[in-house]
Amino acid sequence: MSLKSVVTGAKLCVVPLRQAAAARLSTSARHGVNYAPVPKPLQGKMKLFQIDNGLPVHIRGGPVDKMLYAVTAVVCTVGLIECFHVYYVLSYPQKKD
């Protein structure tokens, strides 16, 4: 078996693998996938959230988002306090008389 035949055999294996990898990476461009049009209300929301106005994403929706953020923070805080309460009760059980 000569070196030339080994190199030729390796090229026969490598080229199809490269072509297959390239096909997997760019399947949407090759097949021309057509997506559904984006509805107008959703386009407006997309524009709102992509504007660089210095606000974090979770409060860009206005007062409703601020209220939801506050409620979520309160619920998480109460849950964390309850977790520590359960750990305390399980660590120091009451003695039975």
Side-chain angles (χ1 to χ4, degrees):
M1 187 182 247
S2 70
L3 182 61
K4 187 175 183 179
S5 64
V6 171
V7 170
T8 305
K11 285 182 181 178
L12 289 175
C13 293
V14 171
V15 172
L17 290 175
R18 284 185 184 164
Q19 290 172 349
R24 270 186 272 132
L25 291 176
S26 62
T27 55
S28 62
R30 287 179 181 250
H31 299 295
V33 176
N34 293 328
Y35 296 105
V38 180
K40 294 291 182 190
L42 184 57
Q43 284 180 353
K45 290 227 182 234
M46 289 168 67
K47 287 179 185 176
L48 171 72
F49 285 99
Q50 291 175 356
I51 295 173
D52 186 18
N53 57 3
L55 291 174
V57 174
H58 58 274
I59 59 174
R60 286 189 184 179
V64 174
D65 278 355
K66 289 180 183 178
M67 183 191 69
L68 287 172
Y69 177 74
V71 168
T72 303
V74 168
V75 168
C76 289
T77 304
V78 169
L80 188 63
I81 291 169
E82 279 298 315
C83 283
F84 288 128
H85 178 257
V86 167
Y87 295 151
Y88 178 79
V89 169
L90 291 175
S91 298
Y92 302 105
Q94 295 180 356
K95 294 182 180 179
K96 294 182 181 180
D97 289 332

